[in-house]
Amino acid sequence: MQQEIRFATFNVCNLAPPGAKLYDNLLPLTAEEYEAKAAWTAQQLDELDADVIGFQEIFSQAALRDVLSRTRKYQDAVHAGFDPDPRADRLTPNVALVSRLPLAAPPEVYANFPEGVPSDSGSRDADRFARAPLHARVVLPGGTVADVIVVHLKSRRPDYRNGDNGDDPLLYAMANLRSLVWRGTEAVALRVLLSNLRREGRRPCIVMGDFNDTADAVTTTIVLGSGALAQSGEELNGRMFDCNQIQRRQDTLRHVGYTNIYEGHYTTIDHVLVSEEFHPASARAIGEVLDVSYLNDHLRQERPEVSDHGQVLVRLRLFETAGATVAGGAAAR
């Protein structure tokens, strides 16, 4: 029987309990503001109606659990996530995953870069992700196990040092360069993680989250692995693909996909990527990307409780033979 499954990525924009201090330039949420944000977020989750959702900017997993309790469709879902390290010098948000599909193993978090990934960002955390990716092994209908990675790469916010600010054009440019180098290094580290997972099990893989760059940016292309041929010579093996580019139902005349508005520019920096198991040209395909939609009407509303990111929703169709896939490895084809 054919199966449709839905994946979504959702940057909630600073989900934290009322009164929690997050940034120096951001006031804590009042009780009333938190209630409005929790209610809107829960409503948005029910509208997404996705089987698996990756979250970014979660300052409190307890707050996310509270949001889930307010939904109609996720009260019994699996919730995977880790709170920020209370011993850290500064508070940083984490990612999380909520799934109505079962997990095959406990989730893992990758705080440090894989061995051999150098960093030239000059950051004091040069060997770590700014926000650690979360890895869950999700059991798809039919028994296939897929690697699902939730990410939030370094922001494009200038990385000032030693009291620098944007008054000096050169210092501003250098601060932007440091952010770019840091995000680029994270992209390399994520690419290495994906390659390592592929060698371990060659399971289907889905990566979703806030990449803080467009799909054709160098950093995102590094994650995709575009242009790299596997040692076996198979062009698609080991690569990732932007669902928006390979979806079956393309409608360029009505394409209104964007997830962020900055200084009047509409861009898409939140993505869902899939491995060759969902690519139409792959002999090992177990499904296909039906379509990609964007929930972004709230970006123009400028209400304080809504997120400053749109959500990306991907519909996948599993082929009838997908259940023949070995749970821990590749399909027998």
Side-chain angles (χ1 to χ4, degrees):
M1 184 177 66
Q2 296 180 354
Q3 296 275 0
E4 177 187 311
I5 51 178
R6 297 155 66 97
F7 286 79
T9 182
F10 188 171
N11 185 323
V12 296
C13 186
N14 300 332
L15 180 63
K21 179 65 174 176
L22 306 182
Y23 301 113
D24 291 339
N25 61 345
L26 184 66
L27 292 175
L29 292 176
T30 65
E32 293 77 13
E33 290 170 336
Y34 172 80
E35 284 297 317
K37 185 171 187 62
W40 177 84
T41 306
Q43 177 184 350
Q44 204 75 353
L45 289 177
D46 282 333
E47 184 174 352
L48 278 170
D49 194 19
D51 297 296
V52 183
I53 304 177
F55 294 87
Q56 300 84 42
E57 297 199 14
I58 303 295
F59 280 92
S60 166
Q61 300 296 334
L64 178 55
R65 286 191 290 270
D66 176 50
V67 168
L68 296 175
S69 72
R70 299 166 184 249
T71 65
R72 292 179 290 106
K73 301 178 180 179
Y74 296 95
Q75 294 192 20
D76 298 323
V78 178
H79 168 213
F82 301 86
D83 278 317
D85 185 353
R87 299 165 298 177
D89 293 337
R90 63 183 186 278
L91 190 61
T92 56
N94 280 358
V95 301
L97 178 138
V98 169
S99 177
R100 297 189 300 211
L101 302 176
L103 303 187
E108 300 176 82
V109 63
Y110 301 112
N112 297 321
F113 290 162
E115 185 177 352
V117 177
S119 176
D120 298 321
S121 68
S123 166
R124 58 184 173 180
D125 299 320
D127 60 345
R128 298 169 60 88
F129 287 95
R131 277 80 55 129
L134 180 69
H135 172 211
R137 292 182 172 89
V138 176
V139 183
L140 305 181
T144 300
V145 175
D147 290 312
V148 180
I149 316 292
V150 184
V151 302
H152 187 182
L153 299 188
K154 174 70 177 68
S155 73
R156 292 174 287 181
R157 186 177 297 109
D159 184 12
Y160 292 113
R161 303 285 171 83
N162 303 320
D164 297 344
N165 56 49
D167 294 340
D168 186 313
L170 176 59
L171 295 179
Y172 174 75
M174 291 302 299
N176 278 281
L177 177 60
R178 281 191 290 267
S179 286
L180 176 59
V181 171
W182 193 350
R183 186 167 63 257
T185 306
E186 288 188 328
V188 172
L190 181 56
R191 167 40 48 193
V192 173
L193 282 174
L194 294 174
S195 298
N196 290 343
L197 286 175
R198 191 70 172 178
R199 284 193 294 268
E200 289 174 7
R202 196 159 184 172
R203 293 177 291 268
C205 184
I206 298 163
V207 180
M208 53 186 177
D210 180 357
F211 287 72
N212 269 307
D213 248 333
T214 58
D216 59 352
V218 171
T219 54
T220 312
T221 303
I222 290 172
V223 178
L224 293 173
S226 299
L229 299 181
Q231 292 182 354
S232 63
E234 300 173 356
E235 184 177 356
L236 302 182
N237 183 26
R239 293 174 57 183
M240 302 296 294
F241 304 90
D242 177 20
C243 286
N244 186 53
Q245 296 297 318
I246 64 171
Q247 62 180 310
R248 181 177 179 182
R249 298 173 184 173
Q250 293 278 3
D251 187 355
T252 56
L253 294 179
R254 299 183 61 191
H255 183 70
V256 290
Y258 60 89
T259 66
N260 187 252
I261 304 175
Y262 181 70
E263 294 183 348
H265 297 287
Y266 291 66
T267 60
T268 301
I269 60 176
D270 303 84
H271 312 289
V272 178
L273 314 179
V274 293
S275 59
E276 67 162 314
E277 283 77 11
F278 300 100
H279 194 289
S282 174
R284 283 180 292 274
I286 66 169
E288 63 181 345
V289 180
L290 289 177
D291 55 39
V292 181
S293 55
Y294 300 84
L295 280 69
N296 52 24
D297 287 346
H298 59 277
L299 294 179
R300 297 187 298 272
Q301 297 173 0
E302 298 184 352
R303 290 157 45 199
E305 70 270 20
V306 308
S307 174
D308 57 351
H309 283 247
Q311 292 82 58
V312 184
L313 176 65
V314 172
R315 292 197 306 138
L316 303 175
R317 181 175 72 91
L318 295 178
F319 299 148
E320 294 182 6
T321 57
T325 302
V326 179
R333 292 177 183 264

